[in-house]
Amino acid sequence: MMELKTDTSIQAMRESGRVVARLLTDVREAAAVGVSLRELDEVARGVLREAGAGSPFLNYRPHFAPVPFPAVICASVNDAIVHGIPTDQRLRDGDLVSIDAGATLDGWASDSAISFTVGHARPEDTRLIGGAFAALDAGIAAAVVGNRIGDIAHAIGTVCRKAGYGIPEGFGGHGVGRSMHEDPAVPNEGRPGRGMPLRHGMVLAIEPMLIGGGVDTFREDRDGWTLRTTDGSRAAHAEHTVAITDDGPHILTAL
């Protein structure tokens, strides 16, 4: 069931959103050639501790997962699309990295993701990352009172398809609030004018995921979490927690 948030609740979510924004900023600054994904997770844990916040990722176990998630960030590199588990893998020059993270503060959760290149960027990776953020911007612009979920999905999908990118089938955004995943689902492709009407007080995690090779298929690693492209092409992910208000969309996970 979807919960409409009060203005006071949205402000509280803004505080947890600031923690996520600081976390992602610090992790990106720490990401360099030779740094391990596990070390990036430790940076994120430090930000949460300093803020007195918890992680909605740590020990999360949805129905499909064989084990609880063991970290506070998802760290997905190159052909990993989402849900990558931080390991001792060390970053190399030119790696495309997607970091997804959340924070829970005073009972309210927020969720956000960024993608970036370590060291020297390949032009096609720069374009792919730009496409992910352009799709996110389009989805946020469509998140206005009077529109519908399908309008957000259509805006995201239009940017992705026009650029020739694939969209992982069955994955997209979601509601967020007292827990990290709430109703409604927010697809990354759809028909405009369809789906749930957008109302003041809805809070959504809008998160485009793009596959550089243009296919929509993916495979799952043996860890039961990491999703990878089937064609070996690279992927990018961008996400913000967004409150829908009568004054327009408010991004809660921006610094």
Side-chain angles (χ1 to χ4, degrees):
M1 178 181 296
M2 184 196 67
E3 175 192 5
L4 291 176
K5 278 69 176 180
T6 66
D7 291 346
T8 300
S9 297
I10 290 173
Q11 184 55 43
M13 292 187 69
R14 178 74 178 100
E15 295 307 312
S16 67
R18 285 193 177 99
V19 175
V20 180
R22 288 199 299 272
L23 183 160
L24 291 175
T25 297
D26 285 5
V27 167
R28 180 169 185 171
E29 289 178 353
V33 174
V35 174
S36 75
L37 302 182
R38 201 181 305 277
E39 288 170 333
L40 296 183
D41 188 66
E42 287 300 323
V43 170
R45 289 174 189 251
V47 174
L48 293 175
R49 282 195 300 269
E50 183 178 352
S55 169
F57 285 30
L58 185 63
N59 295 321
Y60 178 61
R61 188 178 184 182
H63 66 88
F64 63 80
V67 296
F69 195 77
V72 303
I73 62 171
C74 295
S76 306
V77 181
N78 296 333
D79 65 331
I81 306 167
V82 287
H83 302 164
I85 295 177
T87 64
D88 291 327
Q89 175 185 347
R90 296 193 177 277
L91 295 172
R92 298 176 299 177
D93 185 56
D95 278 347
L96 195 166
V97 183
S98 296
I99 302 293
D100 190 359
T104 302
L105 186 66
D106 297 327
W108 294 102
S110 294
D111 189 9
S112 185
I114 58 173
S115 293
F116 55 88
T117 302
V118 175
H120 297 88
R122 306 191 310 182
E124 59 267 35
D125 289 346
T126 299
R127 179 174 173 267
L128 178 61
I129 293 169
F133 283 101
L136 176 60
D137 288 343
I140 293 171
V144 296
V145 173
N147 273 357
R148 292 177 176 267
I149 292 291
D151 294 301
I152 297 175
H154 179 71
I156 293 170
T158 298
V159 172
C160 295
R161 297 304 189 188
K162 185 175 181 180
Y165 297 130
I167 300 170
E169 187 175 355
F171 282 83
H174 49 87
V176 59
R178 291 289 184 182
S179 64
M180 178 172 58
H181 290 140
E182 297 183 351
D183 291 334
V186 185
N188 284 330
E189 190 168 33
R191 298 176 62 182
R194 298 297 183 91
M196 182 181 293
L198 304 182
R199 299 167 58 189
H200 179 93
M202 293 175 68
V203 180
L204 306 174
I206 299 174
E207 51 176 327
M209 307 162 197
L210 280 61
I211 296 176
V215 301
D216 296 348
T217 55
F218 56 87
R219 62 180 178 87
E220 186 180 274
D221 272 6
R222 290 183 179 179
D223 62 23
W225 280 99
T226 308
L227 303 183
R228 295 188 184 275
T229 63
T230 54
D231 62 358
S233 65
R234 294 188 171 191
H237 181 201
E239 177 183 19
H240 270 309
T241 294
V242 179
I244 296 171
T245 78
D246 291 329
D247 297 325
H250 289 190
I251 300 174
L252 304 184
T253 44
L255 283 175

